[in-house]
Amino acid sequence: MEINRRDFIKFVVGGVAGIHVTPLPWKLTDDIAIWTQNWPWVPVPERGEFKEAKAICTLCAGGCGIRLRLVEKRGVKIEARDEFPVNHGGICPIGMGGLQLMYDKDLRFTSPMKRGGPRGEGIFVDISWDEAFSILIERLKELREKKDPRLLAVIDGLPYEGTESLMVRRFLQAYGSNSYFRLPDQDLVDRTVNWIMHGIKGPMGFDLENSDYILSFGAGLLEGWGIPGRVLSLWGDWRSKGEGPKVKVVQIESRASNTASKADRWIAINPGTEAALALGIVRELLQRGRYNVDFVNEHTFGFGDWVDQEGRSHKGFKSLVMEAYTPEKVASITGVDPKEIKLIASELESAKTPIALWGRGKAELPNGVYETMAIHSINLVLGRVQRPGGVIISKEVPLGDLGPVFTDEKAKDSLRQDALVPAGITGIAHVGDLLKAILDSKEPVVDTLFLFQANPWVTMPSSILLEKALKKVPFIVSFSPFRDDTSCFADLILPDHGYLEKFQEIVNPKGLGYAAYCISAPVLPAAYQTKPLGDTLIQLAGKLGDGIKESFPFKSYEEALRQRASVLFSGKRGSIKIQKEPPWKWVETKDSGIQGDDKKDWEALLKSNLWYLPNTKESAYIVFPTDSKKVEFVSLTLKRFKDAIGAKSDEDLMPHYKALETEKAGFLFLPYEMVNWSSGWAPSPPYLTKTVFDHILLKQDLFLELNPRTAKDLGVKEGDLVEVRSKLGALKFKVHLSEVAMPGVIYAPLGFGRIGYDEFLKYKGVNVATILTCQKDPIAGTPLWWGTKVTINRI
Amino acid sequence: MGKLSEHKGPKYGMVIDLDKCTGCGTCMVACAHENNLSVRPDESDIQRKLTWMRLYMVTNGEAYPKTEVSYFPRPCMQCDHHTPCVSVCPATATDYDINTGIVSQIYTRCIGCRYCMAACPYHARVFNWWDGYFPKGKGLERYLSPEVSVRMRGVVEKCTFCHHRLMRAKTKAYNEGRRELEEDEYITACTEACPANAITFGDLNNPEHKVSKLIKSPYAFRLLERLGTQPKVYYLSKKEWVRKLGDNYLPGEFKPVNPPKA
Amino acid sequence: MNPFDAALFPEGTKRCSLKLFIAWNIPWILLLLWGLVGAVLCLYKGLNQTNMTDYFAFALWIVFDLAVIALGAGAFFTGFLTYIIGKKELKDIINAAVLIGFICYSGAIAMLGIDIGQPLRGWFIFWHVNVHSMLAEVSFCITAYLGVLAIEYLPIILENRQIQRIKELRLFGNNLHEIMAMFAATGTFLSFFHQGSLGGLFGVMYARPFAYREGFYVWPWTFFLFVLSAIAAGPCFTILCTRLAEFITRKKLVPDKAVQTLAKIAAYLTGIYVLLKIVDTLVWAYKLTPKAGLTLMDYYKEGPYGIWLLIAEVIIFGIIPAIILLIPKARQHPGWLVVACLMNCTGIVLNRFVFTVVTLAIPVMPFGRFVSYWPTWQEWGIALALVGYGFLLFSLSYRYLPLFPKERELNP
């Protein structure tokens, strides 16, 4: 049969037309559509039953109440709990992104590890728990038997009254070491002030829920100060229009931070001179006679001139203030107009519940002790202590302890000796002391170093010394759940669970105005081969034996917690049920929810996640356990230690202003903090990178802030690359011009330049903490870091 | 599309109090988390940052020490009048729902022509220039919620007023035998997350809802109102300089709330 | 010695050697390869291979698309003039015009295929069409028009000397010629609408004061201005391509009458367009812009896209070529004609660029930023591949097809 061309064309055309009435082309197009909706590399979240779980957040020592949304066992969202008194519905961006910190494998230590590369590179190799324990036990045994138990040192960033921290100290004590170091933060300073002015060894709190006038000396209320969830929530209340009396916020700092911009008034002040302004305000109050005369007369010592036991007469606080802090003197020091001082004083007088706050930025970097005393003295002359809306200095949480510590002969002998690195008068040494000793001392002061929830690489000024010092430490063990920057220097990792995977607790959430104990059970199954810190310590103790084992008679960390809680229950004070009336109403709790049955109470406590004891007017009235039994403007405690602190005059026992010695040349270099970027121990969840503006971080470049006038003088423009050099070292930045910056001062954000974690944080920007130069606070020994002078050069 | 003004059902809207807003960014994090947004290693490029709620930083332009900064949290405005993006999408991948007032986005239909992005003056729409960043074994998909689909590359996405939460609330109500939702039963993730309670969400058609009352304030304004998009996101600020930044004004056109006394 | 492929040449024409021809085409093939690499990367890795951003949703490719579609308008307009109006002299240039149109439209659609985020879903624009969208109109019409152009191009291919020997194909080609008028009419109708709705794309964006225009019913004034500018510049582009071909082949290919007819019509159209454009600009600057609370200079106060662009587009590359073309002596002068056509086409390309890129560079939010954009090498590759493709296809068509019917007559 012949097929000619005409037929062929007919066939082809017919075929094409025909195919269109078959399903084939339509099915193919439908298939294509389905492919484009189901690309295999696009994750499909697993389905399952939706559940809810309640917990607290301990990414900072805040203990905010949070709610988790779970799909089967997977956490998919975190919300704040409205009914939880601590944060009353508020949460910070770091807490909101907490699940990323749980699940991002590269952010965490997923199993025990040992160092697999040069020290400081953060290269690790997986090992088993057995191997990790045996390496550590071998070393600890050798150290104890052959060398000196005091060569085991601990850097402890855990909350001080927490059970984990108690266990750490217990371990150290039973081992025979007194080499205990904390981070030099504002908490340390606050406790020092609380001790030397009020005689109380404990943290201070602020009853901000009742304050109607907040005079903040640099406290970054919107930058993450205090418990950020709580403070941000309060901010919303303070700014509520028309509902209740208006709360006024006055912010005193050199930079137009968010807090300064959104406060009712911003007072621009020369950096570091806050104490002078505070005392100038006190003088104004005294001058007008409009201070709380009753409180001052009844409950304070050292206000007027006084005579000591030897018959010598001494200047009192009032004399000091009246002489040295006249409006003109204060104006010349601080740059603040005397009219402003008078205005603040009159506002303080007419406010019902004013409060003065301190703590630059997030208050992770510490203030000075005298400085804090000076600001706090505003509260004192107004009698704003242990009163609604004021400073709460006594918050006792009647938890039990962990029982007696058993010290064997070796431990006893060792502990009788002086500490290798002596602490100051506060009795608590901090990391800066340790680093200095490592670098300066000829004899070794540490052989094995433990790191607990501490990341001084980022949180400690002059952290460039850390690198030098840590390289000299023979063996470093980190218990961190995160691959943090300081842990990059470790030799052995025994990783903790992530926070939602373990029992969490906070004793006295930071800055809260009433006694509280937040606790939650694990809400997520452990994602990796980690172990809760408490259990690790118990097991470590068990394997070491030698009396250390006896000091840890707990089967588990949970058991230890229950042991402490049972004392709380038997005390029958406070409430483990969240009451209708919030605790800042200063009324006693009606139904405490405590039944006196350990098991039932424990379950109830884990359900509410909170024990708390609201203040009442009666309970707040305390006898100050100082030498004078009063609040001391002149600290007799300091008098006792006057040689140790180098006190030469009466002034050195009182709040006063002393300028930091800085070089004449150069620009003042100040770090600033952001609420949406972590400069503390916990890393920024990757989501936070979306919230950082490109005038702060662009690709790998961090920007410093310069006032346009200063930039003009320097000859730099927006976007220029510059080198900033202090005595300690140099860092590269790009320049951002902004009128938020005080002319002549350079600002840069903290918390960048990470060397740990993963691609979301690593190597982005530079770590400002490394080049901050510090002087030593004469009382607490903590770093005074706001005097760093730098040179800037275009590169 | 039906006559919008005659629709009696809910019309969801939002009021953001800029004086309460702290610029903390929790709304951005909550939104990203709730809606399964991908996070790339580098999120610093504002022109490619994947975020539905975006915080803008503004200043009053004064010199130090009179400087002030403030923030505009900007979700999708859910424009009510002749929605600019809906009218231009050639494939009907975005649509205005007259039953709720919400402008939807269908990822599986979007062809990625980006016309809607050009039409939107608020930059509310973002494009997936990459596939989502979920490297194998890293674990980032473990916190994804099955209520929101994860997007592939090449499609546009934007704030949907957490439409899945509306579905969640309606399902719950239906299971309890109700048809009506209480005021706080359906709120967006950002509303719930904002620690300062700066964001209020509700039904603009319901005079009892907080949002309906708040928009009556003389301090209430909308972004780029004079363009005629009729956004359903309102802002409140007592600060005149902030309100002035809500729109473009020729000299003399801006009307202060409390004009200076003569 | 005859070139190797001489049997394929049109009857009685001379062509250069095959070796020289291949050498000539190497740069175009390289451009195509560059484009291919870029395209593969974009399809494989995604559109992050470009420098397009959330602000620059439209960029180089869209500018190129709009520009080539405007310049390719010579195809439909010449067809309209030839078959509907009856300007028989244009039959000598219509083939070239159709080919230019085919190149422009096929290249544009190929580029669009890479430009969208999910190319496999491109057909959703037809299947899930939103009839209110200008882009839907554009897509339908340019796809349909590409079909028309293919049908108009097909008979030219069938006129190849060797293919003509196949009786069926020769008859088929002849039949097509008979119904060309119908296709020309269809093409005119389709083109009018899509040239217009390409302008409508920008004019309807009422939330972008820089682009927005009021108009007539649903069609903003940009609709009509785009059509007008396309039919003004399209013939000019046809003239330019023809002149370029003549320059390269060193032959006269098209009689003066055809060229002058196009030039004269283009002159009047350009003149009318420039006038209307100036009126539109003034209304936009002094009525629409203040309504949005802006002044004209607010659009130009920052960034690289300054007011000089407006001056360049409307005055330098608008009024001046219009004047040159309107002066008969200048129009007939070969040098001035080319200059005027070049300037006219540049002006139209500038117009498309301004509507696409500058619209997106200008912030609309009062606290927004001016942004700028520069394409990546992948983007350049794909865009320039269109140029390579054009040269290649035109060269092939000139070599093997009777692209210019009067070639033999003009070159005895």
Side-chain angles (χ1 to χ4, degrees), chain A residues 613-719:
Chain A
L613 178 61
N615 303 309
T616 59
K617 286 246 163 62
E618 296 73 34
S619 73
Y621 193 94
I622 58 169
V623 177
F624 301 97
T626 52
D627 289 353
S628 61
K629 296 284 173 278
K630 298 188 182 173
V631 173
E632 297 184 340
F633 281 110
V634 172
S635 172
L636 295 174
T637 311
L638 285 183
K639 186 164 181 293
R640 271 188 275 134
F641 289 104
K642 68 179 200 300
D643 297 318
I645 66 170
K648 297 192 179 57
S649 67
D650 288 328
E651 194 186 58
D652 292 326
L653 304 180
M654 292 192 278
H656 64 277
Y657 165 71
K658 185 149 175 252
L660 281 186
E661 287 158 28
T662 64
E663 296 96 48
K664 285 264 175 342
F667 293 86
L668 203 57
F669 181 57
L670 288 181
Y672 69 88
E673 284 132 321
M674 299 153 56
V675 67
N676 56 318
W677 195 257
S678 170
S679 42
W681 163 75
S684 304
Y687 283 131
L688 263 58
T689 57
K690 291 180 192 284
T691 67
V692 178
F693 294 106
D694 64 353
H695 61 255
I696 295 174
L697 179 76
L698 185 61
K699 291 227 163 22
Q700 312 283 91
D701 292 317
L702 193 64
F703 285 77
L704 52 74
E705 266 177 14
L706 265 184
N707 189 286
R709 274 170 269 170
T710 313
K712 202 156 165 230
D713 294 337
L714 278 169
V716 296
K717 310 188 306 294
E718 177 84 29

Side-chain angles (χ1 to χ4, degrees), chain C residues 32-53:
Chain C
L32 272 171
L33 280 174
W34 180 9
L36 188 67
V37 172
V40 166
L41 278 174
C42 288
L43 288 172
Y44 179 63
K45 286 195 169 174
L47 286 173
N48 56 81
Q49 296 291 299
T50 69
N51 268 342
M52 291 195 280
T53 66

Side-chain angles (χ1 to χ4, degrees), chain A residues 547-763:
Chain A
I548 303 162
K549 180 173 176 193
E550 280 81 353
S551 302
F552 282 82
F554 324 104
K555 287 196 207 64
S556 68
Y557 181 64
E558 185 180 348
E559 195 186 294
L561 289 174
R562 290 185 75 151
Q563 181 178 312
R564 294 189 78 193
S566 69
V567 175
L568 188 68
F569 301 143
S570 60
K572 290 241 173 13
R573 290 166 70 217
S575 168
I576 57 174
K577 210 160 100 169
I578 296 174
Q579 310 282 314
K580 247 200 153 78
E581 286 272 40
W584 51 87
K585 290 284 188 217
W586 286 60
V587 290
E588 257 184 61
T589 55
K590 300 220 169 36
D591 168 22
S592 70
I594 298 175
Q595 295 176 41
D597 175 330
D598 260 358
K599 184 169 185 297
K600 286 212 181 87
D601 289 339
W602 176 246
E603 274 162 25
L605 179 62
L606 286 183
K607 195 150 165 260
S608 69
N609 302 119
L610 181 68
W611 171 92
Y612 65 109
L613 178 61
N615 303 309
T616 59
K617 286 246 163 62
E618 296 73 34
S619 73
Y621 193 94
I622 58 169
V623 177
F624 301 97
T626 52
D627 289 353
S628 61
K629 296 284 173 278
K630 298 188 182 173
V631 173
E632 297 184 340
F633 281 110
V634 172
S635 172
L636 295 174
T637 311
L638 285 183
K639 186 164 181 293
R640 271 188 275 134
F641 289 104
K642 68 179 200 300
D643 297 318
I645 66 170
K648 297 192 179 57
S649 67
D650 288 328
E651 194 186 58
D652 292 326
L653 304 180
M654 292 192 278
H656 64 277
Y657 165 71
K658 185 149 175 252
L660 281 186
E661 287 158 28
T662 64
E663 296 96 48
K664 285 264 175 342
F667 293 86
L668 203 57
F669 181 57
L670 288 181
Y672 69 88
E673 284 132 321
M674 299 153 56
V675 67
N676 56 318
W677 195 257
S678 170
S679 42
W681 163 75
S684 304
Y687 283 131
L688 263 58
T689 57
K690 291 180 192 284
T691 67
V692 178
F693 294 106
D694 64 353
H695 61 255
I696 295 174
L697 179 76
L698 185 61
K699 291 227 163 22
Q700 312 283 91
D701 292 317
L702 193 64
F703 285 77
L704 52 74
E705 266 177 14
L706 265 184
N707 189 286
R709 274 170 269 170
T710 313
K712 202 156 165 230
D713 294 337
L714 278 169
V716 296
K717 310 188 306 294
E718 177 84 29
D720 278 351
L721 195 62
V722 294
E723 184 192 79
V724 170
R725 182 174 285 277
S726 78
K727 272 208 302 248
L728 281 180
L731 294 172
K732 287 199 184 70
F733 294 90
K734 280 210 163 137
V735 171
H736 172 57
L737 304 185
S738 171
E739 290 285 355
V740 309
M742 179 180 242
V745 182
I746 300 168
Y747 303 86
L750 269 179
F752 291 89
R754 305 295 186 126
I755 56 174
Y757 310 110
D758 63 1
E759 66 271 28
F760 293 110
L761 296 178
K762 226 173 175 152
Y763 307 136

Side-chain angles (χ1 to χ4, degrees), chain A residues 230-444:
Chain A
R230 171 193 181 216
V231 177
L232 292 174
S233 165
L234 278 173
W235 187 270
D237 294 338
W238 294 340
R239 301 291 101 177
S240 287
K241 304 179 203 329
E243 301 138 32
K246 188 97 161 52
V247 174
K248 210 166 189 168
V249 179
V250 176
Q251 178 74 354
I252 300 165
E253 63 172 296
S254 69
R255 178 177 173 264
S257 63
N258 291 349
T259 314
S261 290
K262 290 174 159 289
D264 290 280
R265 208 158 72 248
W266 166 41
I267 295 163
I269 188 175
N270 291 336
T273 63
E274 285 81 357
L277 180 61
L279 293 173
I281 293 168
V282 169
R283 186 188 187 280
E284 191 64 30
L285 288 168
L286 301 184
Q287 174 97 316
R288 290 139 89 114
R290 302 283 296 275
Y291 61 100
N292 194 325
V293 179
D294 288 336
F295 179 82
V296 168
N297 289 346
E298 254 184 71
H299 297 287
T300 72
F301 165 79
F303 184 72
D305 296 343
W306 58 288
V307 178
D308 67 18
Q309 285 164 332
E310 283 85 30
R312 282 182 297 232
S313 65
H314 295 271
K315 201 155 55 165
F317 183 62
K318 182 167 179 188
S319 302
L320 168 71
V321 164
M322 295 310 291
E323 268 173 43
Y325 297 95
T326 61
E328 295 72 36
K329 278 211 195 109
V330 169
S332 73
I333 296 169
T334 63
V336 177
D337 193 318
K339 278 203 271 298
E340 193 66 70
I341 300 173
K342 289 185 174 29
L343 178 58
I344 295 174
S346 75
E347 286 175 335
L348 282 167
E349 289 162 18
S350 48
K352 289 202 192 66
T353 51
I355 188 170
L357 295 177
W358 57 85
R360 292 186 180 81
K362 287 192 199 189
E364 268 155 10
L365 299 181
N367 274 12
V369 174
Y370 286 126
E371 198 178 40
T372 307
M373 290 166 77
I375 300 167
H376 182 46
S377 60
I378 296 179
N379 295 316
L380 290 175
V381 298
L382 293 173
R384 304 295 303 133
V385 174
Q386 295 295 98
R387 285 283 167 270
V391 181
I392 306 297
I393 60 175
S394 172
K395 303 184 290 174
E396 240 196 86
V397 178
L399 279 170
D401 58 28
L402 290 173
V405 180
F406 184 82
T407 44
D408 66 0
E409 280 313 309
K410 188 147 193 80
K412 283 202 179 76
D413 285 336
S414 176
L415 289 172
R416 267 193 278 268
Q417 301 175 72
D418 287 334
L420 287 168
V421 181
I425 64 167
T426 60
I428 299 179
H430 65 80
V431 182
D433 300 331
L434 173 65
L435 297 186
K436 194 161 192 302
I438 294 173
L439 291 173
D440 293 347
S441 151
K442 289 192 196 64
E443 301 294 319

Side-chain angles (χ1 to χ4, degrees), chain C residues 27-189:
Chain C
W28 320 127
I29 294 172
L30 286 176
L31 277 180
L32 272 171
L33 280 174
W34 180 9
L36 188 67
V37 172
V40 166
L41 278 174
C42 288
L43 288 172
Y44 179 63
K45 286 195 169 174
L47 286 173
N48 56 81
Q49 296 291 299
T50 69
N51 268 342
M52 291 195 280
T53 66
D54 294 337
Y55 283 53
F56 282 105
F58 297 152
L60 181 70
W61 295 338
I62 301 292
V63 174
F64 250 73
D65 282 339
L66 291 176
V68 299
I69 288 178
L71 296 174
F76 92 84
F77 194 55
T78 312
F80 170 72
L81 291 171
T82 311
Y83 292 107
I84 313 293
I85 301 296
K87 297 255 179 218
K88 292 280 185 284
E89 66 273 25
L90 291 178
K91 276 203 174 150
D92 301 330
I93 202 172
I94 182 80
N95 285 356
V98 163
L99 175 59
I100 292 167
F102 179 79
I103 290 167
C104 290
Y105 278 77
S106 56
I109 288 184
M111 206 146 61
L112 275 173
I114 312 291
D115 202 349
I116 59 175
Q118 285 281 337
L120 283 179
R121 293 189 197 164
W123 55 276
F124 283 8
I125 223 173
F126 307 114
W127 194 247
H128 296 294
V129 64
N130 168 17
V131 296
H132 301 287
S133 167
M134 282 284 173
L135 192 53
E137 209 288 327
V138 167
S139 320
F140 269 94
C141 287
I142 66 173
T143 318
Y145 185 58
L146 182 64
V148 169
L149 279 169
I151 294 171
E152 290 181 336
Y153 183 40
L154 188 57
I156 305 172
I157 299 174
L158 296 177
E159 279 178 13
N160 176 278
R161 186 149 53 114
Q162 297 304 320
I163 296 177
Q164 283 277 295
R165 283 149 140 226
I166 302 166
K167 180 158 154 241
E168 281 76 9
L169 293 176
R170 189 177 66 241
L171 285 175
F172 182 54
N174 289 346
N175 286 337
L176 280 177
H177 268 300
E178 301 297 307
I179 54 173
M180 240 345 98
M182 184 190 85
F183 284 108
T186 313
T188 305
F189 175 79

